[in-house]
Amino acid sequence: MTHHIYVPGPWSGRQGKSHTPARRVVAPTGAFIRGRFPSIKARRMISYEQLLERDMLYLCEFAPQVVDIKEQPFRLQYAMFNKVRRYTPDFALTMADGSILVIEVKPTDSLTKPDVWEKLLHIKDAMQRQGQQFIVVSSETIRARHRLDNLKQLHRYLRQPLSIELLQLLRRLKTQFDCQRPTPLSQLKAVAGSSEPVLRLLAHGQMSCDLDRLITADTLITLTKQEANYVFVDSL
């Protein structure tokens, strides 16, 4: 079961940090869809050059072990078939323990191609020799059924800080409902007056639910914080 997680601190939309990608991300031409993502974790707009990269950012935003995100972080030279090649990762994630996790996102079907797989293995080997952790995250993982839709819905509430009124509402809900027994969203909404404050508390990790099921009025919500099982698994 996938639970919601806590992301400390909202982002007001102002530029909080700066980062210069190793190569230009957003270019005026090309077949990919390019854009910028308002990241709460990075406290700035993050550039992406395909929708799969954008969708990966939602997972990073809600992963408790991720504290910062950099796109196109550096260039790597690696050897393959007696030739020196260049590679720029999609993302470098700063983890809560201070380590750096280098991420490449790929469509699941492309990972079945031997040439793509072999290239990634050479890149991983070069990364490991430099002491870098490197994994590939597939579109199947990134776009797991319902989870991504739920994270997109909840993401906008991360930009709004937790207010005293919201925390008071949470205490009132905990008094009225059993904290250890999941409660339907519809019942919490009836007490809160609307679903918005409940979703804001859910987005900030003050409540939790199964994000692999679409959030509806019948969604069962637990009124306690729970760690999510978002784990970045090495796919190579």
Side-chain angles (χ1 to χ4, degrees), residues 21-27 34-35 46-49 53 71-72:
R23 65 175 175 80
R24 189 177 183 188
V25 177
V26 180
R34 297 173 168 88
I46 294 180
S47 298
Y48 61 85
E49 55 184 13
E53 289 183 10
E71 73 278 30
Q72 311 290 327

Side-chain angles (χ1 to χ4, degrees), residues 45-63:
M45 301 296 287
I46 294 180
S47 298
Y48 61 85
E49 55 184 13
Q50 56 175 306
L51 292 181
L52 188 59
E53 289 183 10
R54 180 204 64 185
D55 293 345
M56 176 66 192
L57 288 169
Y58 283 104
L59 268 67
C60 295
E61 292 283 280
F62 284 89

Side-chain angles (χ1 to χ4, degrees), residues 19-23 25 44 47 69-76 87-94 100-104 127 132 134:
H19 166 61
T20 302
R23 65 175 175 80
V25 177
R44 61 182 178 83
S47 298
I69 310 164
K70 289 182 173 62
E71 73 278 30
Q72 311 290 327
F74 57 85
R75 288 186 177 180
L76 171 77
Y87 165 71
T88 304
D90 292 326
F91 302 108
L93 309 180
T94 302
I100 303 295
L101 181 61
V102 182
I103 297 287
E104 174 72 15
M127 291 277 190
Q132 298 276 11
F134 174 74

Side-chain angles (χ1 to χ4, degrees), residues 211-231:
L211 289 179
D212 286 330
R213 296 176 179 272
L214 196 64
I215 296 177
T216 67
D218 297 324
T219 294
L220 296 177
I221 296 178
T222 303
L223 303 180
T224 56
K225 297 180 184 178
Q226 294 185 22
E227 281 295 318
N229 62 351
Y230 290 123
V231 178

